[in-house]
Amino acid sequence: MDIYLKVVLIISFITLIFFGIDKARAADSKTRIPEITLLTLTAIGGALGAFLGRILFNHKRNVVSKAHFSVVIYVSLVLQVGFYIFCIVMS
């Protein structure tokens, strides 16, 4: 369980950095990080970083055109937190 938390926090930190880089690139009209990269990082453990990145950087917050983005972030966040709680309860 302890290793899971460490891994998730590291991936979340990396995801947060990627969201910040992508937002900065967008502001400078440079090549962006592909959405699939951001969503993959979110799904493999970076949901907390993605959630915070959306808030801190006002990143991909258009509800209508980015609904799929929101779904992946919120579902991943619920699953990752749920798994962590499950691990605590079962230990």
Side-chain angles (χ1 to χ4, degrees), residues 32-89:
R32 311 255 327 248
I33 296 173
E35 277 190 8
I36 191 68
T37 302
L38 298 173
L39 292 174
T40 300
L41 284 168
T42 299
I44 65 169
L48 180 60
F51 182 77
L52 293 174
R54 287 187 87 188
I55 294 169
L56 293 173
F57 305 119
N58 196 28
H59 192 279
K60 296 192 183 286
R61 306 257 329 247
N62 186 327
V63 177
V64 177
S65 68
K66 299 298 176 186
H68 67 285
F69 216 83
S70 295
V71 169
V72 171
I73 290 173
Y74 294 130
V75 168
S76 296
L77 188 60
V78 167
L79 289 174
Q80 291 166 27
V81 169
F83 183 72
Y84 181 69
I85 292 170
F86 174 78
C87 288
I88 291 172
V89 170

